[in-house]
Amino acid sequence: MLQVTVEQQDQQTRLILAGPIDDQAGPALRATLPQMRKQVLVNFSEVEYFNSLGIRTWVNFLRVLRDGREVAYEHCPMDFLQQINMMPALSQGVEIQSFQADFACKSCGFEKSIGFTCRIGKAALREEMGRQVCERCGSSLSLQEDAESLLLFLKE
Ligand SMILES: [Zn+2]
C-alpha cells in the first residue's frame, strides 16, 4: 500500500511517496490534492515499483496535479527513469531535479546506487557517471544501463 506524506514549506508542498504505485494508489494520491500549494516537489526515493496500472494512475494524477502548479520530481529511482524514457507522459511538463543510478563493479561485484543532480547538465552527468570508483576494490564502477539511454529524458 502506498504511503503518502505531505510536508508544507512556504509556497511549496513536498509529497513523499513510499511503497508501490499500483492500481490502489489513486485514492491516497488524490486525497492530497486539496493540500497542494503552487509548487509541488515529489520525492520518489522510497517508491518500490510502478506496475502498468500504477503508471496509468500516475499519469492521471499528474494531469490534475499540474493544473495551475509547478511540479518537480526528486530522487527518481533508475527504473522509474527508464519508464519515463519509454513513456514521457509520466513526467510531462515536470522538472526532474535528481535521480538515483545503479552501478556495479565488474571486478568484485559490489553494487551501489548513487544520487545525481540534473542541474549540472547532460555532459557533466555523463562525465560524473564515468568516474565512479568502487569503494571496496578501487576499480571503476559501471552504470547498470547505457548512460545515453538513461539520460534520454534530459534535453541537454
Ligand atoms: Zn570492486
Side-chain angles (χ1 to χ4, degrees), residues 56-72:
R56 196 192 305 165
T57 301
W58 187 261
V59 170
N60 289 335
F61 174 66
L62 180 61
R63 201 172 293 144
V64 183
L65 182 63
R66 273 184 59 217
D67 189 20
R69 300 183 190 92
E70 275 175 37
V71 181

Side-chain angles (χ1 to χ4, degrees), residues 102-119:
D102 303 331
F103 289 79
C105 174
K106 284 188 176 143
S107 305
C108 75
F110 179 73
E111 293 186 0
K112 192 182 184 185
S113 175
I114 300 172
F116 294 90
T117 305
C118 299
R119 201 171 302 133

Side-chain angles (χ1 to χ4, degrees), residues 105-110 134-141:
C105 174
K106 284 188 176 143
S107 305
C108 75
F110 179 73
C134 175
E135 59 199 57
R136 200 193 274 167
C137 76
S139 301
S140 54
L141 286 177

Side-chain angles (χ1 to χ4, degrees), residues 6-57:
V6 175
E7 284 178 7
Q8 309 285 14
Q9 195 181 21
D10 304 324
Q11 282 303 297
Q12 192 183 68
T13 301
R14 178 179 261 137
L15 193 61
I16 302 163
L17 307 178
I21 297 186
D22 53 21
D23 54 323
Q24 289 171 32
L29 288 170
R30 281 193 299 275
T32 65
L33 283 168
Q35 302 175 65
M36 292 297 167
R37 297 186 180 168
K38 286 270 175 226
Q39 294 167 359
V40 180
L41 185 59
V42 188
N43 182 317
F44 287 95
S45 60
E46 300 299 321
V47 170
E48 287 160 14
Y49 61 85
F50 277 77
N51 67 14
S52 53
L53 289 168
I55 285 174
R56 196 192 305 165
T57 301

